[in-house]
Amino acid sequence: MQVVAKTNKIAAHRPDVTERGSVHRDQRSVRQRPATPCRPLPAHSRTSVQPDRKINRSYCTNRIRVDYAHVGLYDVKTRETWIAKKRWGTVPVRVSHARLLVGGTQDTSTADKDKFLCFWFHTPDTGEGYVHGYPIEWDEGHLLIRLDPNWNYLTRTFIPSTDTAKVEKNIEQQYAWGRHIFESYVAKGPKFPLSWHMIGPRAADSMFYVQRIEGK
């Protein structure tokens, strides 16, 4: 299975702390990311863990699947991935991330979501349009992972843009988690090309086509 790395751009800005909208951000330099192998996760993160009590198991499962489009959550502490189930009357890729947690609904969020990395998984022809004005080839599969340079998911604290060293370290950590999520999907052997992206508040904050596989 061939893996192709593409040029990616990211600038650390002051992100909006809400799900929607944005505020002014000060740009940083742009860089490339080579497709180097991820460092193995710590041994404790690769072992089975107790299910998070905040997870709404009626709406999600920790069994990754590549046969339908869905939204998902990545628990940064347990390194466990949860995806929306197929349920009668719901479209898994249109379910809100908050709905996957106890206390969240389709229209209201929950504070517990702040410790989960949100993502969207699209099988071919299940998405449309541009992402922050960037063209996406929706006839292929795509994994879109939210990137928030200034939010520390582990400590659940905000990092000011002036603390560039911490912001940079935070981005690297979220990138490593994103690679882990992508590799989990690749391990399921999708039969279609699959790319992954990290989506920030704006195009300048994002990394498009970090990697792409041809599929089996």
Side-chain angles (χ1 to χ4, degrees):
M1 186 178 294
Q2 183 181 9
V3 178
V4 180
K6 298 193 178 184
T7 301
N8 310 288
K9 296 183 178 181
I10 182 167
H13 301 293
R14 183 180 182 277
D16 191 3
V17 296
T18 61
E19 286 243 355
R20 298 180 180 178
S22 60
V23 295
H24 178 72
R25 304 166 179 82
D26 298 323
Q27 293 190 350
R28 276 195 299 122
S29 58
V30 172
R31 66 189 174 192
Q32 284 188 336
R33 286 188 183 276
T36 52
C38 276
R39 289 190 295 271
L41 289 172
H44 68 82
S45 68
R46 298 192 296 269
T47 58
S48 60
V49 294
Q50 287 295 106
D52 193 304
R53 293 182 180 180
K54 297 298 182 180
I55 292 292
N56 188 343
R57 284 178 167 267
S58 297
Y59 276 86
C60 60
T61 175
N62 58 356
R63 295 184 178 181
I64 293 178
R65 294 176 57 175
V66 294
D67 59 329
Y68 68 92
H70 53 262
V71 300
L73 297 171
Y74 180 75
D75 191 323
V76 302
K77 290 190 175 180
T78 66
R79 269 65 168 183
E80 197 163 15
T81 303
W82 298 89
I83 70 170
K85 287 181 178 179
K86 279 187 172 181
R87 286 170 50 102
W88 183 85
T90 64
V91 180
V93 77
R94 295 181 182 174
V95 173
S96 73
H97 291 94
R99 195 69 182 90
L100 305 184
L101 299 172
V102 174
T105 70
Q106 191 66 20
D107 301 311
T108 60
S109 189
T110 171
D112 290 299
K113 192 166 69 66
D114 291 340
K115 72 173 184 177
F116 293 92
L117 212 60
C118 298
F119 65 87
W120 299 257
F121 177 79
H122 284 274
T123 51
D125 301 314
T126 58
E128 62 180 356
Y130 293 82
V131 177
H132 289 325
Y134 195 94
I136 301 295
E137 299 172 1
W138 292 113
D139 57 339
E140 299 183 353
H142 294 277
L143 174 66
L144 292 83
I145 302 172
R146 177 172 292 152
L147 172 65
D148 193 335
N150 299 72
W151 181 253
N152 187 318
Y153 286 93
L154 286 172
T155 61
R156 300 170 76 175
T157 55
F158 178 79
I159 304 172
S161 296
T162 53
D163 196 339
T164 56
K166 285 187 177 180
V167 169
E168 178 71 16
K169 183 178 180 180
N170 193 46
I171 292 170
E172 294 295 336
Q173 178 63 84
Q174 292 183 34
Y175 175 79
W177 289 331
R179 283 288 301 275
H180 178 63
I181 298 170
F182 178 68
E183 288 170 358
S184 297
Y185 277 91
V186 171
K188 294 298 180 180
K191 297 181 179 179
F192 45 82
L194 177 64
S195 301
W196 76 284
H197 320 261
M198 297 204 75
I199 308 301
R202 301 185 309 176
D205 306 304
S206 306
M207 290 181 270
F208 295 98
Y209 287 94
V210 179
Q211 285 178 272
R212 178 181 180 276
I213 61 165
E214 290 293 344
K216 294 185 177 179

